[in-house]
Structure formats: C-alpha cells, structure tokens
Amino acid sequence: MAKNGLASRLYRGEADLNIVGRRKMWFAAAGLLVLVAVLSFTFRGFSLGIEFAGGNTFQVPASVGTLDQAEAKVNTVLAAKGGGITVVTAQKVGSTSGEYYELRTAQLSAEDANAVKTEMAQEFGINADQISGSQVSEAWGHQVTERALLGLLIFIAVVAIYLILRFEWRMAVAAISSLVIDLLLTSGIYSLVGFEVTPSTIIGFLTILGFALYDVVVVFDKVQENTRGITANNNQTYGEAANLALNQSLMRSLNTSVVALLPVGGLLFIGAGLLGAGTLKDLGLVLFVGMAVAFLTSILLATPALVLLKNQDPRISAHNKRVLARRGAIARGEVTPKGASRVVPAGDDVIDPEEAALAGAAPKVGARPAGKRPSAVRGGRPGGGNRPGGAKRR
C-alpha cells in the first residue's frame, strides 16, 4: 500500500494529476484573486512605513519598561501636544550598545520633535540624550519606489530575452505572466491584511522574482524535453505531454519550495516572533508569502498558460486534431492500435494482413521441415546424381 501512496507516486512522477486539463479552473481562480487584489489596491491601499509615508523615529532604551508601557507613555506625550498624532509602529531592536525600543510616528516639525523628545525623557525619567530621534521625508520613499520599479522592468526584460533564446517566445510570455500574477497576489495579501510596506519589503519582492522564475524554468525544461518531436507521432497531444512533464517535476518543485520556506519560516516565526528581532519581520514576511505563492503560480498557471499559447500554433493545433481523430477511430474500431491483435468475428471474410503473413509462413500438416539443402545435392540425390558407391558410369 505504501508503494502506491500519493507521496510515492509523486516521487516517481506517476501521480497522474490532471493539472493542465483543469486550466480553466486555475485561470478562473487566479482571475478572481487578482480582481480582489486590484480592488484592495484601489479602496484599501497599503500600510506604508515611515520611509514611504514620512515621519519621525524615536529610540528609547529598553530599560524603561516593556514595549507596551513605552508605547503608552509616548502616546500620552503626543496626545498632550495635540494634532491627533500617535505611535504608528513600535518594535524592539538590538545593537552593540544594547536593546532599545523604536517608535515611529507621523511627521512632526523640528520644533515639535524636540519638544516631544524632551517630554518623553521626563516621562521615562531618563536624560534627553538617551533618546535618539530622526526624521524621514516621504520623498525618499518615492525615490526607492521608482528605482525598484526600474529594476523590476530591467529584470523582466533581461529574463524575457533569456527565455526566448533558451526556449521560445511563448514560454517567455507564460513565465512572465506567472511572475506578474505572483507579484499581484503577494501585494494583494499585503494590502488586505495590512502588513506594513518598508524598504525591506521592496527588497523581498525583488528577491522572490528569482525564486519564482527558477521553478518555472525547471518545469519548462522538462516540458521541452517531453514535447521535442511530438508531431512525429500521434500518441499524445501537446497538453498531455506538458501535463506529464508537470507530474514528473512536481516533486522536485515541492522539495525546492519546502527547503526554501523552512529557513525563511525560521527567520520569520523564530527570529521575529519569538526572539523579537523586529528588523527581520518585514523581510521574512514578504519572502514567506511570496515564495509560497510563487510555487502555486509556477505549477498551476505557468504551464497551463504555455499550453494555451501553444495550442494556437497551427502546427500544434493540427497535431492535436490528428491525435484526437485517431483515438476516435480506435474507439469506433476502424483502426487497430499498434501492437494489438485484431479480432475477426466468426463468418467474417476480412483477414488481418499480419495474421495472413503468419499463416502463410506456418508449415502445412504432414509437410517436411523446410531446410537448406546442401550445395552438392542435386535432384535429391547425393553426389550430384551419381549412384551409390561414388563411381561414374562410362
């Protein structure tokens, strides 16, 4: 039973999952999720970090109390200043000089920032020089966004050229489409859940591009191997050969994704969650979400999209029609599959050519075995027609 289990069949590439055949369902699900993501972008937007929205950062020694206590006291100071400004994010970070709390607020003027810093020192009962502060303009975030988008476009262009040279343009279109959907869905999750977008998030987005394309290239390489010279026979359609390639490489893709997600999960859940390393949270979160979505899109969308594009090729379309026509003829009994013996009903005068050839080659009942005569035998007599004894008559 264990040898026939799903895991064992996946390992051998014999799971026979009909992924390409259900491509309409995958496309519909992906389209619905992309629509939800776009609506979230439009109406909900993103929770931008201080680097993109602009604001002030205050760093307070962790010795003043717990993180919640520090955040509550800073909010008390800000409420006294008026303007409705509160702490946007608070996290515990560490450095060589010790641990401290980093609290971020909306943008304050230079005078208000200095006044808040002084009042915070009085509230915490420490010296003002123990609290450090900085101000970030939203213009810096715009510059980071523009450069990230420029880098994304250059990356996609270079990858498209490579895929066209390595495979073909249809594979390049399918791979990049899967990549774009991966980015849209990951961004949609960030928008819906309200995860904060920071420079580390942008770095993570650029990092998952390579992982997503690696998985697609591995699958496409197997697809190319299975479909090479496919039009020379009428046994498989292009979609069936591509689906076989998916099944054969599915376990490899799954292993790659699991191995990649384990350290990222440790970075996110242990480093940021248990140990409180807040600086790792933004990078670990986008990597974990993006890699998980990349695995799904590379399997469920990239190859089905490739099959959809290849079926528009007249040569592949004609091949698929020949395969289906031959199967229909076999089902009606008009054509005998190669390697199968043809059964002739009783009283039918139709004789299979192969059976006729075998029947003609079989010896008749009572006949002597056919053998090669000796070269010196003539007329069935030994010695070239001489009498027994070997002497010639003069």
Side-chain angles (χ1 to χ4, degrees):
M1 294 296 292
K3 293 183 178 180
N4 296 325
L6 178 60
S8 178
R9 288 185 287 118
L10 279 173
Y11 181 79
R12 298 193 304 267
E14 300 172 355
D16 197 23
L17 301 177
N18 189 15
I19 298 174
V20 173
R22 295 188 175 93
R23 57 182 177 272
K24 291 183 179 179
M25 181 174 67
W26 311 131
F27 292 159
L32 179 61
L33 293 176
V34 169
L35 178 61
V36 172
V38 172
L39 291 176
S40 180
F41 299 159
T42 305
F43 297 103
R44 182 179 176 85
F46 293 95
S47 177
L48 299 178
I50 186 175
E51 294 85 358
F52 296 96
N56 289 72
T57 301
F58 298 96
Q59 295 177 348
V60 181
S63 58
V64 298
T66 65
L67 179 61
D68 292 336
Q69 292 173 346
E71 183 178 355
K73 291 182 179 181
V74 173
N75 279 326
T76 302
V77 173
L78 293 172
K81 298 294 296 183
I85 297 177
T86 59
V87 175
V88 178
T89 61
Q91 61 182 355
K92 184 178 182 180
V93 295
S95 66
T96 56
S97 58
E99 294 183 340
Y100 56 90
Y101 299 135
E102 186 177 80
L103 303 105
R104 298 179 179 181
T105 68
Q107 195 160 3
L108 299 168
S109 63
E111 294 78 8
D112 290 340
N114 290 329
V116 167
K117 182 179 176 181
T118 302
E119 294 179 11
M120 286 172 57
Q122 295 176 355
E123 184 73 21
F124 289 121
I126 58 177
N127 296 326
D129 57 2
Q130 292 182 267
I131 301 176
S132 60
S134 61
Q135 186 175 17
V136 179
S137 173
E138 58 181 303
W140 185 85
H142 289 304
Q143 293 178 357
V144 172
T145 304
E146 291 176 357
R147 292 178 181 178
L149 291 176
L150 178 61
L152 175 63
L153 294 176
I154 294 175
F155 177 83
I156 290 177
V158 172
V159 166
I161 294 173
Y162 167 76
L163 292 176
I164 292 173
L165 295 177
R166 173 65 178 82
F167 299 107
E168 58 168 313
W169 69 267
R170 293 180 182 86
M171 287 189 174
V173 172
I176 293 175
S177 300
S178 171
L179 177 64
V180 171
I181 292 176
D182 178 26
L183 294 177
L184 287 175
L185 294 181
T186 305
S187 302
I189 293 174
Y190 259 74
S191 177
L192 284 171
V193 180
F195 294 145
E196 187 180 36
V197 179
T198 65
S200 297
T201 305
I202 303 300
I203 294 172
F205 267 100
L206 297 177
T207 304
I208 63 176
L209 298 179
F211 176 83
L213 283 173
Y214 167 79
D215 212 17
V216 172
V217 168
V218 168
V219 176
F220 280 4
D221 185 69
K222 191 63 179 178
V223 171
Q224 187 184 53
E225 178 184 340
N226 285 8
T227 58
R228 186 177 290 113
I230 192 173
T231 56
N233 61 75
N234 296 329
N235 297 328
Q236 279 184 318
T237 64
Y238 187 92
E240 291 168 347
N243 190 74
L244 177 61
L246 263 180
N247 280 272
Q248 292 172 336
S249 56
L250 182 59
M251 197 63 185
R252 179 177 179 179
S253 299
L254 182 61
N255 288 337
T256 303
S257 300
V258 170
V259 170
L261 285 173
L262 284 177
V264 174
L267 186 75
L268 177 62
F269 299 111
I270 299 177
L274 297 179
L275 302 180
T279 53
L280 301 176
K281 182 183 67 175
D282 299 333
L283 180 61
L285 184 62
V286 67
L287 288 177
F288 190 85
V289 174
M291 286 181 177
V293 175
F295 167 72
L296 295 176
T297 55
S298 64
I299 297 298
L300 302 180
L301 297 180
T303 304
L306 171 63
V307 173
L308 183 65
L309 293 173
K310 290 292 289 187
N311 285 344
Q312 309 303 318
D313 185 353
R315 186 172 61 91
I316 298 298
S317 178
H319 166 73
N320 293 339
K321 290 178 181 178
R322 288 196 303 270
V323 173
L324 297 178
R326 180 174 180 272
R327 290 178 183 172
I330 292 175
R332 294 189 299 269
E334 299 173 359
V335 176
T336 303
K338 184 179 295 185
S341 61
R342 182 171 180 178
V343 180
V344 181
D348 198 342
D349 294 333
V350 178
I351 301 176
D352 193 293
E354 294 183 3
E355 293 181 0
L358 292 173
K364 296 181 180 180
V365 178
R368 293 181 179 180
K372 185 177 180 181
R373 293 179 178 180
S375 58
V377 177
R378 297 180 182 177
R381 294 179 181 180
N386 296 335
R387 293 173 180 264
K392 291 185 179 180
R393 182 181 295 179
R394 295 182 183 273

